[in-house]
Amino acid sequence: MSVTAPQGFRAAGVRAGLRAHGERPDLALVVNDGPQQVAAGVFTRNQVKAAPVLWSQQVLQEHDLRAVVLNAGGANACTGPDGFGDTHRTAEHVAEVLGCGAIEVAVCSTGLIGERLPLEKLLAGVDAAAGELADGEEAGTRAATAVLTTDTVDKQAAASRHGWTVGGFAKGAGMMAPSLATMLVVVTTDAVVDAGTADAALRDATARTFDRLDIDGSTSTNDTVLLLASGASGVEADADAFTEVVTEVCADLARGLQADAEGVTKRIAVTVTGARDDHDALVGARAIARDSLVKTALFGSDPNWGRIAAAVGASEATVEPGTLSVTVNGVLLCEAATAVGDRSKADLSGPEVTVEVDLGLGDGQATVLTTDLSHAYVEENSAYST
Amino acid sequence: MSVTAPQGFRAAGVRAGLRAHGERPDLALVVNDGPQQVAAGVFTRNQVKAAPVLWSQQVLQEHDLRAVVLNAGGANACTGPDGFGDTHRTAEHVAEVLGCGAIEVAVCSTGLIGERLPLEKLLAGVDAAAGELADGEEAGTRAATAVLTTDTVDKQAAASRHGWTVGGFAKGAGMMAPSLATMLVVVTTDAVVDAGTADAALRDATARTFDRLDIDGSTSTNDTVLLLASGASGVEADADAFTEVVTEVCADLARGLQADAEGVTKRIAVTVTGARDDHDALVGARAIARDSLVKTALFGSDPNWGRIAAAVGASEATVEPGTLSVTVNGVLLCEAATAVGDRSKADLSGPEVTVEVDLGLGDGQATVLTTDLSHAYVEENSAYST
């Protein structure tokens, strides 16, 4: 159930003292001992990219990673050339300790935007982490825990199939939207795969999982999903099977991110069917998932389906009122854009809510996962940097 | 300061008993006694349109309105052909009472989506309102007050120039986004204008005012802005001067809507300059104004400018980090996408916040008005239909 579930990986999580408050660990190291060091990465589409994203994107052009170093306590975003220098220095230090090149080390950072990291503490933390590198589930969990910010639990997953294993961890609890969500994710595997297979599998998996998670419509400067393949199982993976298992692990991690989102009291799955095409379905589902009025109504366990109809109607998706229906928790409340049945029959008192919108225009469909908009979300996010 | 400020108009506001709770008035009537009855309208771009919007759009093709009847207590949206019949019957009843054609009567409704209106009460309310029609400010204020929903104060404005007057009222406190905001607005004038001038002036004014107000990114099914011109001043208005004064009145009403938005504790003006063009500036400003993380930070008086940079970076507007700067309440906090100065110097404790983002790429600029995302917003909107 962790990045160390596949063979060929060691991990560590230590306290480097980067966080403003508290005693929690804040630095993680994941090392691929091979024999292969194939890697792939998917990054934020935000035009304002953090230093570690700029660095890791460059490094990933080689599809070859020996290690990933991750830190909480600061995003190292909007820190200029000096911030980029800090990331470079961190990668060099990891490389020195492991005896590889800096170009084989990816860097991920998370936390407040616009503050420099305390570099000396960070480099000392790298030394400490290198000294504690270990295989086994406990080491993986220590790494998964060290990168949490407003997360309340670690998010880990693993699956074994066909003689090889895929494992991973994720962090992220807010600022989540397409373009990955504010997340750092490391996925590992001991399958034997080439760079093209790894890259294609990761792109496909993220498009179907993390890209369908939309907590608040906000897209971070630091989103990074990395895949490291050690080949240590000695078993070559079929490309389709590999994509399937990577997708399974990513979906598991995405559900974990949803369940632990900032201030969540309801886990909401918004499905649009009957769209002109899948893209239109996704556009409509995202619009509903992002709508503050829909999300506050669901926080209040209020089946106010009119807001759902209004949200999809206001989106870029093609909507014909005459064929629009809305079902909430299995109860059809609106057909042909007209009220049917009794809205009080849709019981929303539980933590799971399904919103199904049928546009009645075609075969396109998509599901987006989101959460409600609660007092706790406002509370957490109104007091983050101060 | 009301729709009765221009000559040639009478108004009334009465309690028809349409609201689920309370004793507040809920039905307004505004009558144009001429000599001219020129009119123009701008409506929601939501694909799911309420019955009164469908009716009023049809009626406005003639650019000729004798009266507008408005009700709170129900949006008459998603009510199907029966709901459209209710709107038609309401217009017919107003026409009978006033001795005109139903085609000269616009209808506006606001309230919960998906519920039929109690037609008998509504028609009785029309009779009562017709009996109380009067000119003068008090009558205008009674009409302005009758259409409020979660609004806490009536929003009215008027301006006299060049021998003629423009007046108006607006209602709207949430579900506000481009495509007008959830608002019903009636603007009146005694200037002599033709239909083309009235239409052009209203479109221009709404594009620069109500369309630049974005409270929560949600777009309603019922948004309507109507302009009625009586010609009673006998003074023909120059087209440019007319557009200018209508824009002034609409801007005044838009500021009123912002100040009374649901749960507002801060009034926020987001200005993007230096964009490639005005459209790009507007796209960027809207993205910042809609960002939940920006809005919760400002609720917490937290100058977390990194979220502002992230929001514009994630938008469709072209952003180059190297030329991006962010200023909050006059304090430059970020230059070349890099922290400068001390964020604690930006004092956000007051109720007014200005966010200025310079993209450094061209001459495009735009301002969008919004509010913070507060506990009170969540509270109001989690308990609306129940």
Side-chain angles (χ1 to χ4, degrees), chain B residues 287-319:
Chain B
I288 296 165
R290 286 183 175 191
D291 192 274
S292 295
L293 290 168
V294 171
K295 292 158 80 86
T296 46
L298 295 179
F299 168 59
S301 299
D302 177 3
N304 194 338
W305 59 267
R307 292 180 178 178
I308 297 166
V312 72
S315 79
E316 300 286 322
T318 298
V319 174

Side-chain angles (χ1 to χ4, degrees), chain A residues 312-386:
Chain A
V312 72
S315 79
E316 300 287 322
T318 299
V319 173
E320 290 283 349
T323 58
L324 170 67
S325 75
V326 179
T327 301
V328 179
N329 273 7
V331 180
L332 180 69
L333 295 175
C334 161
E335 206 163 16
T338 305
V340 292
D342 177 0
R343 70 173 75 201
S344 68
K345 289 202 176 130
D347 178 10
L348 304 189
S349 57
E352 303 276 352
V353 177
T354 59
V355 172
E356 296 167 87
V357 172
D358 187 347
L359 299 180
L361 298 174
D363 295 327
Q365 55 179 297
T367 297
V368 170
L369 304 180
T370 189
T371 57
D372 55 341
L373 175 52
S374 68
H375 284 301
Y377 178 91
V378 172
E379 192 60 30
E380 282 197 40
N381 285 299
S382 59
Y384 183 71
S385 82
T386 50

Side-chain angles (χ1 to χ4, degrees), chain B:
Chain B
M1 278 291 287
S2 78
V3 288
T4 47
Q7 299 173 65
F9 291 92
R10 288 177 297 153
V14 300
R15 180 172 181 275
L18 310 174
R19 295 185 198 267
H21 311 288
E23 299 290 310
R24 291 160 63 192
D26 47 23
L27 189 136
L29 190 59
V30 179
V31 174
N32 180 355
D33 290 319
Q36 295 189 337
Q37 284 159 1
V38 171
V42 177
F43 300 92
T44 184
R45 285 186 287 267
N46 200 311
Q47 298 167 91
V48 178
K49 291 177 170 63
V53 169
L54 295 171
W55 169 262
S56 298
Q57 276 189 314
Q58 203 170 305
V59 158
L60 255 294
Q61 290 181 358
E62 298 294 320
H63 289 286
D64 182 354
L65 281 186
R66 172 87 166 107
V68 186
V69 58
L70 311 94
N71 73 274
N76 198 6
C78 297
T79 46
D82 291 341
F84 189 81
D86 293 341
T87 291
H88 188 185
R89 188 74 199 86
T90 304
E92 280 183 338
H93 194 75
V94 171
E96 282 160 24
V97 169
L98 297 179
C100 66
I103 194 98
E104 297 170 88
V105 180
V107 181
C108 300
S109 300
T110 182
L112 187 61
I113 297 171
E115 302 282 335
R116 292 280 297 280
L117 289 166
L119 188 62
E120 292 312 312
K121 287 183 182 176
L122 185 55
L123 300 186
V126 169
D127 293 335
E132 297 195 10
L133 281 169
D135 55 13
E137 188 160 335
E138 279 182 34
T141 298
R142 278 195 294 272
T145 305
V147 291
L148 305 181
T149 54
T150 54
D151 311 64
T152 65
V153 295
D154 61 284
K155 270 76 76 171
Q156 301 190 75
S160 292
R161 305 271 188 286
H162 318 293
W164 40 265
T165 299
V166 175
F169 67 71
K171 95 94 207 170
M175 204 185 242
M176 285 200 194
S179 231
L180 295 185
T182 300
M183 51 170 58
L184 304 180
V185 180
V186 178
V187 177
T188 56
T189 182
D190 51 18
V192 176
V193 289
D194 61 24
T197 303
D199 191 69
L202 190 64
R203 281 179 201 287
D204 203 63
T206 55
R208 288 168 190 276
T209 57
F210 301 120
D211 268 356
R212 301 286 169 98
L213 180 68
D214 194 323
I215 300 304
D216 52 18
S218 301
T219 302
S220 109
T221 50
N222 288 59
D223 301 331
T224 302
V225 183
L226 298 174
L227 170 64
L228 283 72
S230 70
S233 70
V235 181
E236 195 164 332
D238 169 74
D240 288 345
F242 186 64
T243 298
E244 193 182 307
V245 180
V246 171
T247 302
E248 182 184 329
V249 168
C250 288
D252 198 345
L253 293 172
R255 281 190 296 270
L257 292 169
Q258 179 196 27
D260 193 31
E262 285 170 349
V264 59
T265 80
K266 309 271 188 196
R267 295 183 293 278
I268 304 162
V270 179
T271 299
V272 171
T273 58
R276 283 196 314 182
D277 53 37
D278 286 353
H279 176 76
D280 239 31
L282 187 57
V283 166
R286 272 203 216 298
I288 296 165
R290 286 183 175 191
D291 192 274
S292 295
L293 290 168
V294 171
K295 292 158 80 86
T296 46
L298 295 179
F299 168 59
S301 299
D302 177 3
N304 194 338
W305 59 267
R307 292 180 178 178
I308 297 166
V312 72
S315 79
E316 300 286 322
T318 298
V319 174
E320 291 283 349
T323 57
L324 171 67
S325 75
V326 179
T327 301
V328 179
N329 273 8
V331 181
L332 180 69
L333 295 175
C334 160
E335 208 163 14
T338 305
V340 292
D342 178 359
R343 70 173 74 202
S344 69
K345 289 201 177 131
D347 178 9
L348 304 188
S349 58
E352 303 276 352
V353 177
T354 58
V355 171
E356 295 167 89
V357 172
D358 187 347
L359 298 181
L361 299 174
D363 295 327
Q365 55 179 297
T367 296
V368 170
L369 303 180
T370 189
T371 57
D372 55 342
L373 174 52
S374 68
H375 285 302
Y377 178 91
V378 172
E379 192 60 30
E380 282 197 39
N381 285 299
S382 59
Y384 183 72
S385 83
T386 49

Side-chain angles (χ1 to χ4, degrees), chain A residues 139-177:
Chain A
T141 298
R142 279 194 294 272
T145 305
V147 290
L148 304 181
T149 54
T150 55
D151 311 64
T152 65
V153 294
D154 60 285
K155 270 77 76 169
Q156 301 190 75
S160 293
R161 305 270 190 285
H162 318 293
W164 41 265
T165 297
V166 176
F169 66 71
K171 96 93 206 169
M175 205 185 241
M176 287 200 193

